[in-house]
Amino acid sequence: MRMFSVSHKTAFVVDHCPYMAESCRQLIECDMLTKSRAQGVIPLAPVSKSLWTCAIECSMEYCRILFDIYPTKKLVNYIVSDSEVHILNNWKQEHQNTHELMAALATVGPPNPRQDPECCSVLHGLVAAVESLCKITEYQHEARTSLMDVADRVANRGRIICLTNAKSDTHVRMLEDCVLETIQEQNKLAAGSDRLMPIQQCELVLVHIFPQGDDTLVSDRQKKELSSVLTSEVHSVRAGRYLASKLNVLVQQHFDLASTTITNIPMKEEQHANTSANYDVELLHHRDAHIEFIKSGDLHMAGSTSRDSGLKETVTLKWCTPRTNSVELHYCTGAYRISPVDVNSRPSSCLTNFLLNGRSVLLEQPRKSGSKVISHMLSSHGGEIFLHVLNSTRSTLEDPPSISEGCGGRVTDYRITDFGEFMRENRLTPFPDEMVDTLGRTPIERAKFQLERHTRYWPMIISQTTIFNMQAVVPLANLIVKDTLTDEDVLTCQKTVYNLVDMERKSDPLPISTVGSRGKGPKRDEQYRIMWNELETLVKAHVGNSERHQRVLDCISACRSKPPEEEERKKRGRKREDKEEKDKNGKDSEEKSWTAESERLKGAMEREKDEQAECEIIKDSPDSPEPLNKKPRLATEEQQPPEKSKGPVSLLSLWTNRITQANSRKHQEFAGRLNSVNNKAELYQHLKEENGMDAHENGKATR
Amino acid sequence: MTLRAMRCCAKLLSHSWAAGKDTDDAVRAGSGHSGQIFSIANMPTVVLMDSSLSMTRPVSVEGSEEFQRKHLAVHGLTMLFEHMATNYRLEFTSLVAFSSLWELLVPFTRDYNTLQEALNNLEDYDKTCLEAALQGVSNVVQQEWGTSCPCQVVLVTDGAMGIGRGSLRHSLQTLKQRTDDKKFPLPFPFPSKLYVMCIANAEEFQASDGLDNLEQLISLNGGEGQIYTMEGPLCLKSVQTMFGKLIDQAYSPLHAVLRCGNLASDVQVFPRPEPVLIDEEVDPIPKTVQTDLEIVGFVEIGDISSPPVISRHLVLPIAVNKEGDEMGTGTADETEEEPSTNQMAGKSPNFCVLLHGSLKVEGMVALVQLGPDWFGMLYSQADSKKKSNLMMSLFELGSEPLPWLGRMSQLGPASDAAENPYGEDDSKSPFPIQPKNKRSYAQNVTVWIKASGLQTDVQKIFRNARKLPEKTQTFYKELNRLRKAALAFGFWELLKSVAELLERECTLLPDSAHPDAAFQLSHASQQLKLASTGDSKYAAFEHNIAPMLTDFSGGGAERM
């Protein structure tokens, strides 16, 4: 349906003349109590609606369905006509709701039967409707402003639905002539105005309402072209439920709707809570929800049956009780808003409430062949219920290759978890319409900009990065990608850097990957050099953001270890002490990894292996320290070196070693063992010392 | 693409033409890429091959052995099959031969060797009767794929569409005299494209009415399809050019770059997304997916909530070599290097694989911009065999394809919001967007079109009336609901009746009733009566009848 088709604007004109106050002569018993109550009571006379009441409630039902299915862009202007015109709302979107119309109708009230019929006419309303159709809607205005030079190509079409009680066919013709004349006049007027648009096409739907039992004075007439601008059709309908079903058919025709009946809905009985009966609920929606049935020509096979009215068909779909509440991404080819035909009935409200509470229901297409085909799904989003069309035909996406078979499929150490975190940080959220930032960027542009910032340095695999494998870098890494930094942020970044400096001083091991490198990973100082370089790369990528970003980079440049040349010079001299530090450090890392979860443990074990391999090689080098020179430590470790020198270490010994080390941290080391030489502690040292002292003192004393 | 096609041609030309034997090798060379370049089948193809006697007419080619038109046709199809074996390996293709009868030579298959073999062993038959053959195609497709799967039909013919009964001209002339059971097979009941490959050049073709008839055929198919004719003399080269055009038109995947900020990957999108027309008022121009697929952000699967899409596509990462040609296609000398290059491609990290992995683990989708005001989503799609893939679904064109997401341009980074819309513990979500007005089924609307609706509403009031004063609040709530509707509908008679009923209810109260009940009932009755006069003082729509403050009710004590 094109946006500015005749259904863009609907003007309702309802006759408010004295004759509309006449009863429709369909009686409604509302004194239901007498049946069960005292005998002597005389039941109250049944009530009956006036033609006016019938017209109002049916037109309101038309609007209800329309607003349910088209919350925007399909507009209604409601006009009441007697001796004058009452325009109850305008084309503005905010006035498109039944509540507002009901309130306005209440102020109009029922027609006054004592009013002079001579000065009352529906003509006033029809003239007003034509004038109203010339008025530009906000959507037309928007389209015209966006098209500027071709603004005249925005169409102005509309429909007038007139609910009246006509006298005769001649009267009807008179009404049509009047509309046509008015259109011609108004179009002339509109041609010279900015706020008005000439009507290109108008559909007049005249509904003649007459009371039950009367003979109609007006004959039905199919749509007929009165001029190139105006077509007209006449429906002669008895008031009451006949009128209701007529308007129901009209709303479906006017807005391309179709009907689906959900069958087999299990519902608990009010009286017998433990039994359940099956109910049907009829829904209206855009007819494209049936497109598959229409195309394949099996609309009838799909369980379509004629309804009572005999005018429209409904497709029957079977309820499938939902088993789980799991979120699933269905392959859905369309989603259409629904409106229940009988909105207040118990089955309807049970179904809609069930859906509004967040459950989804799959619908099955009944087939004679017996195979079960799920063709639709009912689901609510934000308080609106949609009929989703699911793809139920055979998929030609048979047997597609797995992503692991293609490019990059063999790589196993993608930073899946980190990227998951990245995605969470880059989740979207709706912003109000006027929300543009100081640079005039729309929210979605800001989202792209943020993605750009967050990915300036983003290694895809674990073995490509050191800093993103380090918990210690997280605070800085999270902050530096921001567009602007606060002083506090800078401080946090600086603290992170100091912390790293501290780690380097202590020579903490780094989670540097050894994948791809032969034999062993880089040496400790080399590791730190890699880490610092990577950190610099990260920060440099953002240094243009602000002066505060620059301060972070300055901090790194100032704090990071000496430039490589200098390092190189010192390297040889430092090697010995470096080695010692490393060993001492091994212990620290031991504990860290021991307390951490298994993943880190594994990493630490690998690290330890590397370290040991490193030791081995260093030992062989000319200036390697003698094993005995190592700072004496745990007994078990003392026994380790000969084993190490033998070659590869068994996993068991590694493990025992680790556990012993970890346990050893839990108690204070024996003083003797700490001071031992070659694992032998001299006993009764104090005696020796005391004796010596004593001797000395004694000597002194004697002296 | 064209470059590649030309290279294929060059290679084919270098072989001597001998009943397609050498081309078999070419196909094998192509299938040697197995596992490296993927495509998916989304549009099965039926090749409808004219094997009437007229196809054996010789083509005069200077200084070489004599060709038949059939040979040229086979040559062109061989090229098509080779292309598909290389680039569209998962495409299903079937081969139907026809003359006065038709025969399904090869049912839908992905085995292009079988197709090629059948093509090479094609026999010659009698006259051309296209209508029956098209009916045959229609049956074959419907049996295999039903009516909703789009298919491509490639009709290869010399353009001589028969004479007399059974000829295309005869079929078209009698179009209007058909009964329902003998309807012309076009338009096909499934979405289709009909490509006619004419082994004839345009000039010789124009002399006959063959072209007109074929054009009519395409328009019968809703304009879906195209006629290709040969340019210049009938020779191998011109047949290659013609099939090259078909390949470009119908069998070329979309090459694009998938970007997420600075992370990017070259991808092929299968099948190629169709251009989309929006039903606008002014100058509808078909919109095509841009070759830069830009991720704008991420949304949870539960929030995106099974959105309607216009099509689905596989997104396959490809490695691009230095010349900017994608790998695994092209000439034979390239194939030799391929294993190593492909191994490299498998082992070098690719953004698509990372994205796919994280989308799968997190249960999220990536929103991707496909053009101005056009978006789609990327997600992990798993089949039953635990294989999974990166898929892209295209949303409807427009600024607000999903009502529950709102306008796409208004979606921004959650971190920009004053308060985290997902909550500190991820317990909330900014989606779905709540519409301004509630729908009728979500608000307690009053509809009295059926008498039962009205009766239920009246009964509700009296059910509560009998439980006064406990149910005072609900009693007045129901009373006011009825009052509002009656005023709007101009149904004052109902107000009078209910007022009378309330009055009577009051007189019928048992002795045991709470004294407050009588007060409330007569108060309510009186108020309804006043409203039924239409007096603006009492009949205001927004006015609500408040419970009467009595000595028995809580408020009464205060008043004293």
Side-chain angles (χ1 to χ4, degrees):
Chain A
M1 201 186 291
R2 280 179 303 187
M3 180 159 158
F4 300 124
S5 66
V6 278
S7 61
H8 177 54
K9 290 168 159 180
T10 304
F12 260 104
V13 179
V14 186
D15 198 340
H16 194 247
C17 297
Y19 48 76
M20 290 296 282
E22 205 179 317
S23 160
C24 76
R25 293 186 217 139
Q26 284 178 42
L27 300 179
I28 304 164
E29 197 70 64
C30 57
D31 190 5
M32 312 288 286
L33 306 171
T34 42
K35 284 163 198 156
S36 57
R37 294 302 269 306
Q39 291 293 307
V41 184
I42 305 152
L44 218 64
V47 291
S48 119
K49 296 171 188 166
S50 63
L51 294 181
W52 164 258
T53 299
C54 291
I56 295 300
E57 64 177 8
C58 292
S59 61
M60 277 301 118
E61 182 69 359
Y62 182 105
C63 294
R64 177 187 73 78
I65 292 167
L66 170 58
F67 295 148
D68 271 357
I69 295 173
Y70 295 98
T72 59
K73 292 173 191 174
K74 306 286 173 214
L75 309 173
V76 169
N77 188 202
Y78 208 99
I79 296 163
V80 172
S81 174
D82 44 43
S83 61
E84 53 178 351
V85 174
H86 311 264
I87 300 176
L88 304 191
N89 70 339
N90 56 35
W91 296 125
K92 284 222 173 90
Q93 185 64 61
E94 71 230 53
H95 298 298
Q96 303 295 315
N97 62 76
T98 46
H99 183 84
E100 203 163 305
L101 289 176
M102 297 268 276
L105 281 167
T107 56
V108 171
N112 180 0
R114 283 175 299 279
Q115 205 175 7
D116 178 12
E118 286 308 308
C119 60
C120 287
S121 169
V122 75
L123 273 176
H124 305 301
L126 287 171
V127 171
V130 172
E131 286 169 6
S132 171
L133 287 181
C134 285
K135 285 185 188 142
I136 188 167
T137 67
E138 52 197 311
Y139 297 105
Q140 288 175 319
H141 179 71
E142 201 180 302
R144 286 214 313 186
T145 24
S146 71
L147 289 171
M148 293 302 274
D149 43 333
V150 281
D152 54 318
R153 297 173 76 167
V154 174
N156 188 34
R157 308 187 180 99
R159 183 181 284 126
I160 299 172
I161 302 175
C162 177
L163 305 178
T164 182
N165 178 286
K167 308 279 166 297
S168 62
D169 285 347
T170 338
H171 184 203
V172 166
R173 251 194 307 285
M174 188 271 282
L175 294 177
E176 288 171 338
D177 289 345
C178 164
V179 171
L180 185 56
E181 240 169 73
T182 319
I183 290 177
Q184 283 157 353
E185 277 169 31
Q186 287 297 317
N187 277 359
K188 271 181 217 154
L189 216 79
S193 163
D194 261 1
R195 306 302 304 165
L196 300 176
M197 286 172 85
I199 299 167
Q200 282 148 358
Q201 194 191 345
C202 178
E203 238 180 70
L204 178 64
V205 182
L206 277 165
V207 182
H208 164 68
I209 310 168
F210 60 96
Q212 182 98 343
D214 275 13
D215 285 333
T216 178
L217 302 168
V218 174
S219 39
D220 262 3
R221 210 191 59 215
Q222 295 275 302
K223 193 192 277 191
K224 175 174 106 177
E225 201 167 284
L226 299 182
S227 86
S228 60
V229 185
L230 183 68
T231 61
S232 163
E233 62 192 271
V234 182
H235 303 272
S236 180
V237 198
R238 264 172 294 184
R241 60 194 167 91
Y242 303 98
L243 179 63
S245 66
K246 170 57 81 181
L247 279 174
N248 184 284
V249 168
L250 286 179
V251 74
Q252 292 189 51
Q253 280 173 2
H254 293 167
F255 295 95
D256 288 339
L257 306 185
S259 152
T260 294
T261 301
I262 316 298
T263 186
N264 259 348
I265 305 172
M267 237 171 63
K268 288 237 158 35
E269 291 283 0
E270 221 162 350
Q271 276 84 16
H272 322 278
N274 45 5
T275 62
S276 96
N278 290 337
Y279 291 90
D280 292 1
V281 171
E282 189 188 347
L283 306 174
L284 293 179
H285 49 78
H286 194 276
R287 66 163 170 235
D288 278 357
H290 289 162
I291 196 117
E292 279 299 318
F293 303 143
I294 297 166
K295 261 202 288 189
S296 61
D298 54 357
L299 200 58
H300 288 273
M301 266 167 59
S304 139
T305 47
S306 284
R307 273 184 288 155
D308 319 343
S309 60
L311 287 161
K312 274 278 170 180
E313 290 179 322
T314 184
V315 167
T316 307
L317 295 174
K318 207 169 137 236
W319 161 288
C320 299
T321 304
R323 291 205 171 77
T324 58
N325 255 340
S326 69
V327 250
E328 212 179 315
L329 207 55
H330 293 276
Y331 178 22
C332 160
T333 54
Y336 305 92
R337 288 187 178 85
I338 61 106
S339 184
V341 170
D342 204 355
V343 66
N344 272 348
S345 74
R346 221 178 132 251
S348 287
S349 59
C350 272
L351 174 66
T352 51
N353 285 334
F354 182 84
L355 295 165
L356 290 172
N357 285 332
R359 307 291 296 272
S360 295
V361 179
L362 293 172
L363 302 174
E364 182 190 331
Q365 185 187 339
R367 281 198 172 171
K368 290 198 179 80
S369 58
S371 64
K372 185 172 160 173
V373 176
I374 303 288
S375 61
H376 292 78
M377 177 177 78
L378 278 170
S379 187
S380 78
H381 311 283
E384 287 187 286
I385 300 172
F386 289 81
L387 181 62
H388 290 249
V389 182
L390 303 183
N391 184 60
S392 52
T393 52
R394 180 185 168 188
S395 170
T396 46
L397 296 170
E398 267 177 22
D399 205 18
S402 173
I403 190 140
S404 59
E405 294 166 35
C407 293
R410 304 277 191 76
V411 180
T412 51
D413 65 336
Y414 284 107
R415 293 170 59 203
I416 300 284
T417 321
D418 289 350
F419 198 73
E421 188 59 35
F422 168 89
M423 296 193 313
R424 301 199 157 272
E425 279 161 19
N426 285 286
R427 271 183 295 187
L428 298 168
T429 195
F431 285 90
D433 275 357
E434 60 278 9
M435 191 72 179
V436 284
D437 66 0
T438 45
L439 296 168
R441 289 177 305 190
T442 58
I444 203 137
E445 284 166 345
R446 291 206 306 275
K448 287 187 207 168
F449 187 66
Q450 175 166 313
L451 285 175
E452 192 279 324
R453 267 188 286 121
H454 283 209
T455 54
R456 282 188 197 159
Y457 179 70
W458 213 97
M460 287 196 283
I461 54 174
I462 295 167
S463 53
Q464 265 174 0
T465 178
T466 305
I467 55 171
F468 292 113
N469 298 333
M470 293 168 66
Q471 202 55 40
V473 183
V474 169
L476 184 145
N478 283 347
L479 287 171
I480 202 74
V481 294
K482 283 169 65 175
D483 203 11
T484 53
L485 294 179
T486 61
D487 281 331
E488 203 180 320
D489 290 341
V490 174
L491 209 64
T492 313
C493 290
Q494 286 169 343
K495 272 186 194 157
T496 307
V497 175
Y498 299 152
N499 190 19
L500 292 172
V501 171
D502 203 37
M503 281 173 70
E504 185 175 24
R505 199 177 40 77
K506 288 191 288 187
S507 208
D508 286 353
L510 294 179
I512 282 192
S513 164
T514 52
V515 177
S517 60
R518 234 171 256 146
K520 59 166 186 119
K523 304 216 175 77
R524 185 63 41 86
D525 50 356
E526 176 66 8
Q527 286 182 4
Y528 271 90
R529 208 171 56 77
I530 293 170
M531 187 278 288
W532 284 118
N533 284 346
E534 199 187 0
L535 193 65
E536 251 178 22
T537 311
L538 170 70
V539 177
K540 270 183 185 155
H542 296 277
V543 88
N545 291 9
S546 75
E547 181 267 330
R548 288 196 176 98
H549 286 82
Q550 179 65 48
R551 268 160 61 191
V552 177
L553 181 64
D554 294 347
C555 170
I556 293 174
S557 309
C559 294
R560 68 167 294 183
S561 46
K562 307 284 184 301
E565 311 85 55
E566 205 180 327
E567 241 169 79
E568 200 59 45
R569 228 166 0 94
K570 281 194 169 183
K571 215 169 187 177
R572 283 186 72 86
R574 263 177 44 190
K575 213 152 203 176
R576 178 170 294 239
E577 80 180 89
D578 204 64
K579 184 79 198 86
E580 278 176 9
E581 263 179 56
K582 231 175 267 174
D583 276 341
K584 186 171 69 196
N585 207 279
K587 217 156 101 181
D588 292 358
S589 77
E590 254 4 285
E591 191 188 43
K592 225 185 278 169
S593 51
W594 177 245
T595 48
E597 65 275 12
S598 61
E599 194 185 273
R600 290 191 52 126
L601 203 95
K602 208 178 95 198
M605 287 199 13
E606 276 165 10
R607 241 178 284 145
E608 194 169 64
K609 262 186 218 158
D610 293 337
E611 270 163 41
Q612 282 171 353
E614 208 175 306
C615 290
E616 214 175 318
I617 287 158
I618 289 168
K619 245 183 296 167
D620 296 340
S621 71
D623 62 349
S624 71
E626 293 155 64
L628 286 188
N629 231 5
K630 283 172 83 185
K631 201 159 194 179
R633 283 165 72 189
L634 300 175
T636 42
E637 256 213 353
E638 287 301 312
Q639 288 151 11
Q640 212 71 33
E643 224 177 304
K644 271 186 193 169
S645 53
K646 269 181 228 154
V649 189
S650 77
L651 189 63
L652 176 67
S653 64
L654 262 176
W655 188 252
T656 359
N657 190 10
R658 295 168 45 69
I659 289 184
T660 332
Q661 282 187 22
N663 287 341
S664 76
R665 303 286 296 176
K666 289 177 187 157
H667 61 82
Q668 211 174 4
E669 191 53 275
F670 294 119
R673 203 180 274 163
L674 273 172
N675 300 325
S676 66
V677 176
N678 278 347
N679 218 15
K680 282 177 191 159
E682 201 179 337
L683 296 176
Y684 309 112
Q685 279 182 3
H686 66 285
L687 285 181
K688 211 163 50 188
E689 280 162 23
E690 270 169 27
N691 287 344
M693 289 248 283
D694 280 352
H696 190 79
E697 269 171 11
N698 287 349
K700 228 181 179 179
T702 48
R703 213 181 286 161
Chain B
M1 172 58 235
T2 326
L3 184 77
R4 188 173 66 241
M6 294 314 287
R7 267 200 249 154
C8 289
C9 303
K11 183 186 153 211
L12 284 173
L13 278 174
S14 69
H15 291 280
S16 66
W17 176 262
K21 266 227 154 175
D22 294 355
T23 50
D24 261 355
D25 293 336
V27 171
R28 266 200 295 281
S31 56
H33 310 159
S34 70
Q36 272 99 51
I37 296 295
F38 312 109
S39 67
I40 61 157
N42 197 49
M43 280 229 219
T45 295
V46 185
V47 172
L48 182 57
M49 177 74 177
D50 186 347
S51 49
S52 65
L53 215 50
S54 64
M55 287 290 282
T56 62
R57 279 182 294 160
V59 180
S60 52
V61 179
E62 289 166 33
S64 68
E65 55 189 302
E66 198 170 82
F67 287 125
Q68 295 175 1
R69 282 161 205 262
K70 182 178 128 181
H71 293 145
L72 291 178
V74 169
H75 179 65
L77 283 174
T78 301
M79 180 177 153
L80 177 66
F81 288 164
E82 190 201 350
H83 172 82
M84 288 166 71
T86 315
N87 297 290
Y88 269 62
R89 282 187 46 251
L90 295 172
E91 189 77 86
F92 287 96
T93 303
S94 75
L95 180 62
V96 174
F98 78 101
S99 56
S100 61
L101 300 170
W102 63 273
E103 186 185 356
L104 177 61
L105 294 181
V106 184
F108 285 100
T109 178
R110 287 166 170 169
D111 180 357
Y112 285 94
N113 290 330
T114 311
L115 285 162
Q116 186 63 45
E117 210 166 296
L119 192 62
N120 295 338
N121 298 327
L122 207 62
E123 283 177 51
D124 306 323
Y125 298 96
D126 54 344
K127 60 176 186 170
T128 315
C129 290
L130 188 59
E131 180 174 344
L134 289 173
Q135 189 59 57
V137 168
S138 180
N139 295 346
V140 166
V141 171
Q142 284 188 77
Q143 267 173 26
E144 192 78 28
W145 305 106
T147 55
S148 56
C149 174
C151 279
Q152 319 210 65
V153 179
V154 178
L155 166 63
V156 185
T157 175
D158 58 351
M161 304 316 293
I163 41 167
R165 276 185 76 83
S167 71
L168 180 58
R169 188 191 310 153
H170 182 258
S171 293
L172 294 173
Q173 275 166 355
T174 57
L175 214 51
K176 294 215 173 92
Q177 304 145 31
R178 307 300 182 100
T179 51
D180 266 0
D181 53 328
K182 286 225 78 157
K183 274 209 311 220
F184 193 70
L186 289 185
F188 289 123
F190 43 87
S192 66
K193 296 251 159 94
L194 176 62
Y195 298 109
V196 185
M197 313 305 293
C198 289
I199 310 297
N201 66 32
E203 294 89 67
E204 77 172 301
F205 210 30
Q206 248 133 34
S208 71
D209 63 351
L211 192 61
D212 289 346
N213 287 338
L214 287 173
E215 268 165 6
Q216 205 179 334
L217 207 59
I218 303 286
S219 67
L220 273 176
N221 201 37
E224 294 291 344
Q226 203 170 327
I227 299 168
Y228 294 89
T229 54
M230 288 165 68
E231 279 158 29
L234 301 189
C235 63
L236 290 179
K237 203 167 179 177
S238 50
V239 86
Q240 280 160 7
T241 315
M242 178 170 75
F243 273 86
K245 281 184 196 158
L246 172 71
I247 288 170
D248 278 352
Q249 165 83 26
Y251 296 97
S252 56
L254 175 73
H255 289 185
V257 180
L258 177 65
R259 285 182 205 287
C260 174
N262 295 297
L263 298 169
S265 168
D266 286 279
V267 293
Q268 288 190 339
V269 178
F270 286 96
R272 188 185 196 92
E274 293 275 313
V276 173
L277 260 182
I278 34 175
D279 195 9
E280 270 175 333
E281 199 77 34
V282 183
D283 300 335
I285 306 160
K287 306 276 190 307
T288 47
V289 169
Q290 67 190 22
T291 51
D292 241 6
L293 307 172
E294 196 174 9
I295 290 176
V296 295
F298 302 87
V299 174
E300 313 265 348
I301 280 186
D303 287 342
I304 200 96
S305 192
S306 298
V309 299
I310 51 178
S311 57
R312 287 195 307 174
H313 309 268
L314 263 182
V315 176
L316 303 163
I318 48 167
V320 174
N321 66 23
K322 280 155 209 142
E323 287 106 63
D325 218 8
E326 85 274 27
M327 291 179 0
T329 57
T331 55
D333 36 287
E334 261 180 31
T335 37
E336 284 164 27
E337 294 162 14
E338 252 169 33
S340 61
T341 334
N342 269 310
Q343 272 173 12
M344 292 288 283
K347 282 180 181 167
S348 62
N350 189 293
F351 171 61
C352 284
V353 186
L354 171 69
L355 175 69
H356 168 265
S358 298
L359 289 174
K360 189 175 182 173
V361 170
E362 299 285 335
M364 292 174 92
V365 305
L367 290 185
V368 58
Q369 182 149 23
L370 311 165
D373 263 352
W374 199 4
F375 294 85
M377 62 171 178
L378 291 159
Y379 53 98
S380 161
Q381 166 87 23
D383 75 356
S384 51
K385 290 168 196 159
K386 293 190 176 171
K387 283 182 178 178
S388 63
N389 241 305
L390 189 61
M391 286 278 253
M392 180 168 76
S393 287
L394 273 46
F395 299 147
E396 212 145 319
L397 230 137
S399 57
E400 198 181 332
L402 307 176
W404 50 96
L405 248 54
R407 286 175 79 89
M408 297 302 273
S409 61
Q410 293 307 120
L411 295 181
S415 53
D416 274 13
E419 196 183 325
N420 185 354
Y422 290 93
E424 292 312 317
D425 51 351
D426 245 5
S427 57
K428 291 193 294 183
S429 169
F431 303 108
I433 286 185
Q434 301 288 329
K436 280 191 193 106
N437 291 321
K438 279 186 173 179
R439 305 282 88 90
S440 69
Y441 44 80
Q443 46 179 320
N444 200 2
V445 294
T446 314
V447 179
W448 290 336
I449 281 176
K450 286 186 180 164
S452 61
L454 174 60
Q455 287 159 347
T456 312
D457 284 348
V458 173
Q459 272 176 319
K460 270 186 205 159
I461 293 172
F462 285 92
R463 255 206 315 272
N464 287 301
R466 263 168 273 156
K467 287 176 193 155
L468 287 172
E470 292 81 21
K471 293 280 185 182
T472 307
Q473 290 309 318
T474 13
F475 170 74
Y476 280 100
K477 197 183 125 214
E478 292 298 335
L479 190 74
N480 281 313
R481 197 164 80 90
L482 177 121
R483 175 184 171 280
K484 268 193 169 55
L487 287 173
F489 296 152
F491 201 177
W492 293 353
E493 198 185 338
L494 177 72
L495 294 176
K496 285 187 199 112
S497 290
V498 174
E500 275 176 52
L501 282 173
L502 285 169
E503 212 166 74
R504 192 184 66 193
E505 189 71 15
C506 192
T507 63
L508 291 175
L509 279 174
D511 297 339
S512 59
H514 193 284
D516 199 24
F519 281 106
Q520 299 298 351
L521 286 175
S522 56
H523 169 68
S525 164
Q526 196 193 356
Q527 288 293 316
L528 283 189
K529 261 194 197 127
L530 286 169
S532 74
T533 61
D535 183 336
S536 58
K537 218 164 107 192
Y538 304 101
F541 183 73
E542 297 299 346
H543 173 76
N544 277 320
I545 302 175
M548 189 189 195
L549 295 176
T550 62
D551 297 351
F552 313 102
S553 57
E558 275 170 35
R559 203 175 48 169
M560 291 169 82

